[in-house]
């Protein structure tokens, strides 16, 4: 029988973790800046940006699905709406456009269907469609390629969405239309 020795993992000070994370963020930001400003727009860049847009679209969808699944009975949703706007770098845009208090349909418009907001879901999907259009493909193929159909379907689904309908709460207190839309977009992504 082999005796077991209990080994404690090395303890790491909170300062060390913050320092490591700061360095990681600095490197990631430097790489993002390099890719957006200095990288030639070849197929390599296109795939890099396509992946970034897909990830951002999934993150937008997932965060909205998590923070606005249903309307809390008798409770204010201001904290969830503000968290969504902060998470997607859109709080200043919201405040400069809409001097009113936070409202679900307006937040959904800004984060989902506003094509002028570079952080919106529809903007990510439009960029994905643009990248997919420029991918190499068989010149003699008739019609759209499968990836073109999927990208266009997701984009059009979001473009045609009515934010007032998405904000509606059903008799169960759920936003079923919003949940279904975002789940379908995530499937297509």
């Amino acid at each position: 029988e082999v005796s077991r020795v209990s080994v404690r993992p090395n303890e790491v000070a909170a300062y060390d973790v913050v320092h490591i994370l700061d360095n990681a963020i600095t490197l990631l930001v430097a790489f993002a800046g390099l890719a957006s400003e200095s990288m030639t727009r070849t197929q390599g860049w296109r795939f890099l940006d396509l992946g970034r847009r897909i990830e951002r679209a999934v993150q937008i969808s997932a965060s909205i699905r998590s923070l606005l699944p249903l309307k809390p009975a008798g409770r204010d949703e201001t904290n969830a709406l503000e968290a969504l706007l902060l998470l997607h770098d859109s709080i200043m845009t919201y405040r400069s456009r809409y001097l009113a208090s936070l409202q679900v349909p307006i937040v959904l418009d800004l984060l989902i269907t506003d094509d002028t907001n570079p952080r919106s879901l529809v903007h990510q999907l439009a960029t994905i469609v643009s990248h997919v259009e420029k991918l190499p493909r068989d010149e003699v193929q008739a019609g759209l390629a499968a990836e073109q159909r999927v990208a266009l379907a997701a984009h059009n689904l979001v473009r045609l969405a009515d934010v007032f309908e998405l904000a509606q709460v059903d008799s169960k207190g759920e936003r079923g239309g919003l949940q279904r839309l975002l789940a379908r977009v995530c499937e297509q992504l």
Side-chain angles (χ1 to χ4, degrees):
E1 181 176 311
V2 178
S3 65
R4 295 184 180 179
V5 178
S6 176
V7 178
R8 293 179 47 187
N10 293 337
E11 292 183 15
V12 179
Y15 173 80
D16 292 334
V17 172
V18 170
H19 182 69
I20 291 167
L21 291 174
D22 278 345
N23 285 339
I25 289 171
T26 301
L27 290 171
L28 289 171
V29 168
F31 179 73
L34 181 67
S36 69
E37 297 297 326
S38 301
M39 195 171 177
T40 57
R41 301 309 194 242
T42 60
Q43 292 298 343
W45 173 84
R46 188 167 319 288
F47 276 105
L48 179 71
D49 196 56
L50 183 60
R52 194 178 92 205
R53 300 304 176 150
I54 291 170
E55 282 182 14
R56 186 174 291 161
V58 168
Q59 289 170 351
I60 293 167
S61 299
S63 65
I64 294 172
R65 287 179 74 193
S66 296
L67 291 172
L68 291 180
L70 47 89
K71 178 163 176 58
R75 291 187 28 214
D76 188 21
E77 294 177 299
T78 303
N79 290 341
L81 296 173
E82 189 171 347
L84 282 170
L85 291 169
L86 286 168
L87 186 61
H88 299 295
D89 297 324
S90 297
I91 190 85
M92 295 306 292
T93 304
Y94 187 93
R95 288 182 180 158
S96 67
R97 284 188 193 173
Y98 314 106
L99 300 176
S101 61
L102 296 173
Q103 299 171 26
V104 174
I106 299 172
V107 170
L108 292 179
D109 176 55
L110 186 61
L111 295 180
I112 295 176
T113 61
D114 184 351
D115 58 359
T116 65
N117 180 8
R119 296 297 188 153
S120 73
L121 180 59
V122 78
H123 190 279
Q124 306 314 308
L125 294 170
T127 305
I128 290 168
V129 167
S130 174
H131 286 324
V132 168
E133 291 291 323
K134 294 174 183 164
L135 291 177
R137 64 185 83 277
D138 187 1
E139 295 293 325
V140 295
Q141 178 183 351
L144 297 174
E147 63 273 10
Q148 288 174 301
R149 285 193 299 276
V150 171
L152 281 170
H155 183 239
N156 288 334
L157 183 66
V158 172
R159 285 185 59 214
L160 295 172
D162 180 341
V163 292
F164 292 99
E165 287 179 16
L166 296 177
Q168 290 297 314
V169 177
D170 63 18
S171 60
K172 297 177 187 175
E174 299 173 352
R175 291 192 170 93
L178 177 63
Q179 293 296 319
R180 283 187 296 279
L181 172 83
L182 296 174
R184 187 151 179 225
V185 168
C186 282
E187 280 176 27
Q188 291 169 327
L189 288 167

